[in-house]
């Protein structure tokens, strides 16, 4: 306990430095902004900003990127409630009851409950990150190459099980991601693989190129299809604070959403989107009168907003302790850490405690900043929504292209990003979930390295993965999960979670 307090004191010392407070503030403001603007998710934004972090100190850069991620969960609720357009994928569910409340003249309480639920969930999730950090790090230090390989296999299977839609399609996306990660030079021999004698591909395909294309460009193309009118709630926002009955109705929903989000955030392949859907579905199941949902039930705002915020923060646990990204945004954080020469995993906590604890402390500060940024500035965000789409997207495209070009000063990278944009668009149109592909792409090199190390240590004996207890247990769990996900009854249930009337 004393160690934890000492570490938190170190973290707050780092987070309260003027520069890091500035980065935290900037991250939360940018996060709120991209949460508010439809079609620009945290994934595309963090991918765009990766090149900018080159010149920043590592702690400041990661504090800012983390702020963007959990800040976007707050901002997404504003557009969902006021405009009925989810600014961010995790806020899709909030539109169902949030906008109905706004139409009934209760936009103020809806926004306030979203902020209160998010703040509570964020604080609980940050406590969890701090509490689970040390025990998980000590467990991770027991892992050898065979255990790490099996853990990554389990992570990818989780991504398949929790992905939206067909299990077979999700498996195909994982395999595509693993295949893309192998392009370039062999990690042991340096032999060129699948580069087709193109010099620019000798070092492989850049992570930002894939992420920006599949998520940034493809998302813009999809949004340009929808010429949806923005029915911004014109009425003046009054009575921002929820009433006592509202708070009493929401308290259990916020608690359940926080718990569900915290668990789903830690699981590989989970994340804020799944947490929000699961929390809403669960609230509907436990409600005395489920017919209220979709007509302005305040619990339908409180539960998903709490869940997506809790999930966005607990997803840092596997990243910082095991070095394994549980979702696509955390995969980008791996990219950001690599840029600064930081190897994500158990070594971060022991070798760079100021980075680990500084980030955790900054999450508390960031959550407090977000409540202040969101409620008083609702008017500013609503005005931003009146900017026409046609003016917004060219600017986003230009910034994307500048960001990609600036990494290697390579026009080839911009063309590759555009190509991946077309691929991402095609995948979206054919109901392929691109997030498992990005996880496969990030984990591919790590899996290959650990597979080879394990085989070298075992002198080429593949049974080493089954004779080591932890490794065998992880592989058995992965197999069990895949078998369960393929059962017809479970497949039907999985599809229901993502469908809302």
């Amino acid at each position: 306990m004393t160690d934890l307090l000492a570490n938190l004191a170190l973290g707050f010392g780092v987070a309260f430095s003027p520069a890091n407070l500035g980065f935290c503030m900037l991250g939360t403001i940018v996060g709120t902004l991209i949460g508010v603007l439809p079609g620009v998710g945290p994934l595309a934004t963090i991918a765009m900003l990766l090149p900018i972090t080159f010149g920043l100190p590592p702690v400041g850069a990661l504090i800012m990127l983390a702020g963007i991620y959990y800040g976007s969960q707050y901002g997404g609720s504003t557009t969902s409630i006021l405009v009925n357009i989810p600014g961010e994928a995790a806020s899709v569910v909030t539109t169902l009851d949030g906008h109905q409340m706004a139409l009934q003249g209760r936009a103020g309480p809806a926004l306030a409950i979203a902020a209160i639920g998010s703040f509570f969930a964020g604080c609980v999730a940050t406590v969890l990150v701090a509490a689970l950090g040390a025990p998980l790090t000590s467990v991770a230090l027991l892992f050898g190459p065979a255990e790490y390989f099996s853990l990554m296999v389990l992570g990818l299977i989780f991504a398949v099980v929790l992905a939206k839609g067909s299990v077979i399609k999700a498996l195909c996306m994982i395999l595509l991601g693993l295949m893309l990660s192998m392009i370039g030079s062999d990690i042991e021999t340096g032999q060129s693989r699948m580069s087709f004698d193109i010099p620019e591909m000798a070092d492989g395909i850049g992570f930002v190129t894939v992420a920006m294309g599949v998520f940034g460009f493809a998302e813009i193309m999809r949004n340009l299809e929808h010429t949806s009118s923005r029915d911004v709630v014109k009425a003046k926002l009054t009575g921002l604070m929820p009433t006592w009955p509202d708070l009493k109705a929401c308290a259990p929903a916020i608690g359940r959403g926080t718990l569900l989000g915290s668990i789903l955030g830690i699981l590989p392949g989970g994340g804020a989107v799944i947490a929000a859907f699961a929390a809403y579905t669960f609230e509907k199941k436990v409600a005395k009168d489920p017919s209220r949902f979709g007509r302005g039930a305040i619990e339908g705002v409180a539960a998903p907003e709490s869940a997506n915020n809790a999930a966005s923060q607990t997803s840092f646990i596997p990243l910082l302790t095991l070095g394994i990204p549980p979702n696509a945004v955390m995969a980008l954080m791996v990219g950001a850490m690599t840029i600064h020469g930081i190897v994500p995993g158990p070594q971060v906590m022991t070798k760079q405690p100021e980075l680990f604890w500084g980030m955790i402390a900054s999450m508390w500060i960031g959550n407090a900043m977000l409540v202040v940024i969101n409620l008083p500035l609702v008017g500013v965000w609503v005005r931003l929504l009146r900017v026409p789409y046609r003016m917004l997207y060219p600017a986003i495209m230009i910034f994307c292209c500048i960001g990609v070009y600036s990494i290697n000063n390579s026009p080839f990278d911009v063309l590759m990003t555009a190509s991946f944009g077309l691929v991402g668009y095609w995948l979206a149109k054919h109901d392929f979930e691109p997030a498992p592909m990005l996880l496969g792409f990030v984990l591919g090199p790590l899996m290959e390295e650990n597979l080879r190390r394990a085989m070298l240590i075992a002198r080429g004996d593949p049974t080493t993965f089954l004779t080591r207890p932890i490794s065998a247990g992880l592989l058995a769990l992965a197999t069990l999960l895949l078998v369960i996900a393929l059962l017809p009854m479970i497949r039907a249930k999985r599809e229901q979670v993502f469908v809302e009337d």
Side-chain angles (χ1 to χ4, degrees):
M1 188 65 189
T2 31
D3 282 353
L4 182 62
L5 290 173
N7 286 325
L8 284 173
L10 165 73
F12 277 106
V14 172
F16 270 116
S17 71
N20 287 338
L21 276 175
F23 286 127
C24 187
M25 185 75 165
L26 181 63
T28 50
I29 289 173
V30 171
T32 304
L33 174 65
I34 57 124
V36 166
L37 294 175
V40 197
L43 206 58
T45 307
I46 293 173
M48 277 186 250
L49 293 179
L50 273 185
I52 297 169
T53 64
F54 275 113
L56 301 179
V59 182
L62 290 169
I63 283 174
M64 181 181 80
L65 294 177
I68 291 172
Y69 183 36
Y70 56 81
S72 66
Q73 312 301 326
Y74 273 78
S77 62
T78 306
T79 36
S80 297
I81 291 164
L82 296 179
V83 198
N84 202 25
I85 297 176
E88 209 273 318
S91 300
V92 171
V93 194
T94 312
T95 58
L96 299 170
D97 284 284
H99 191 61
Q100 289 301 316
M101 283 183 70
L103 294 175
Q104 293 160 19
R106 302 191 65 222
L111 288 165
I113 280 294
I116 292 164
S118 299
F119 179 69
F120 175 77
C123 291
V124 171
T126 309
V127 171
L128 270 175
V129 178
L132 293 176
L136 274 176
T137 301
S138 51
V139 168
L141 292 170
L142 303 171
F143 280 27
E147 285 78 11
Y148 264 113
F149 175 78
S150 302
L151 184 66
M152 288 176 209
V153 169
L154 177 63
L156 291 179
I157 295 299
F158 257 121
V160 168
V161 172
L162 294 173
K164 186 174 153 188
S166 160
V167 173
I168 306 298
K169 284 182 175 177
L171 273 172
C172 291
M173 295 310 290
I174 294 267
L175 292 172
L176 177 62
L178 290 171
M179 197 171 76
L180 287 172
S181 74
M182 289 182 178
I183 295 171
S185 304
D186 185 292
I187 54 170
E188 302 285 334
T189 63
Q191 180 70 37
S192 185
R193 298 188 297 199
M194 295 190 282
S195 59
F196 306 105
D197 290 330
I198 300 169
E200 289 88 351
M201 285 174 70
D203 286 336
I205 298 172
F207 175 72
V208 175
T209 305
V210 176
M212 188 101 74
V214 171
F215 290 95
F217 282 24
E219 193 64 31
I220 288 166
M221 283 192 268
R222 279 178 61 205
N223 278 293
L224 286 173
E225 284 185 354
H226 308 299
T227 52
S228 51
S229 62
R230 303 178 178 188
D231 54 334
V232 179
V233 174
K234 301 281 193 302
K236 195 171 183 340
L237 292 177
T238 53
L240 203 58
M241 283 319 290
T243 60
W244 179 243
D246 283 342
L247 289 170
K248 268 173 74 178
C250 286
I254 288 172
R256 287 189 290 262
T258 302
L259 181 66
L260 206 55
S262 299
I263 295 165
L264 286 170
I266 297 169
L267 296 180
V273 182
I274 289 165
F277 272 97
Y280 189 81
T281 309
F282 186 72
E283 280 307 309
K284 236 174 141 175
K285 290 269 191 291
V286 298
K288 287 176 185 166
D289 179 14
S291 64
R292 288 172 50 246
F293 284 78
R295 294 178 186 170
I298 199 161
E299 301 95 309
V301 175
E305 281 303 311
S306 306
N308 67 31
N309 267 275
S312 70
Q313 292 186 25
T314 55
S315 53
F316 282 90
I317 295 173
L319 173 75
L320 293 172
T321 56
L322 303 170
I324 292 175
N327 58 46
V329 177
M330 290 300 112
L332 281 171
M333 296 296 278
V334 170
M337 290 170 103
T338 313
I339 284 171
H340 290 283
I342 300 160
V343 180
Q347 304 293 330
V348 172
M349 196 172 176
T350 48
K351 290 186 177 172
Q352 289 164 304
E354 71 289 340
L355 171 74
F356 184 90
W357 295 104
M359 267 188 80
I360 288 172
S362 79
M363 288 180 191
W364 258 309
I365 298 164
N367 272 300
M369 285 178 176
L370 279 161
V371 174
V372 176
I373 291 167
N374 273 272
L375 292 181
L377 297 182
V378 164
V380 176
W381 306 124
V382 173
R383 277 194 205 98
L384 260 175
L385 288 166
R386 299 202 171 111
V387 176
Y389 265 35
R390 63 181 185 280
M391 290 167 70
L392 211 54
Y393 286 116
I396 296 167
M397 290 288 269
I398 289 165
F399 283 122
C400 281
C401 292
I402 292 168
V404 172
Y405 179 80
S406 64
I407 296 172
N408 296 317
N409 293 339
S410 165
F412 181 80
D413 285 357
V414 179
L415 290 172
M416 282 295 284
T417 308
S419 308
F420 275 110
L422 292 171
V423 170
Y425 180 70
W426 185 89
L427 291 172
K429 296 302 270 180
H430 292 82
D431 294 325
F432 283 89
E433 180 87 10
M437 184 190 85
L438 196 63
L439 276 179
F441 184 73
V442 170
L443 291 178
L446 295 168
M447 284 179 79
E448 186 186 357
E449 194 180 335
N450 283 295
L451 174 67
R452 287 190 170 189
R453 275 189 196 162
M455 294 294 274
L456 277 170
I457 293 165
R459 298 188 178 181
D461 179 13
T463 58
T464 184
F465 297 102
L466 302 172
T467 52
R468 296 172 69 99
I470 298 176
S471 172
L474 292 168
L475 287 175
L477 182 58
T479 312
L480 181 70
L481 273 173
L482 194 56
V483 170
I484 290 171
L486 287 166
L487 291 173
M489 190 176 73
I490 304 292
R491 277 167 73 179
K493 286 276 184 200
R494 280 175 75 255
E495 279 153 27
Q496 274 175 28
V497 171
F498 290 97
V499 177
E500 236 356 293
D501 315 321

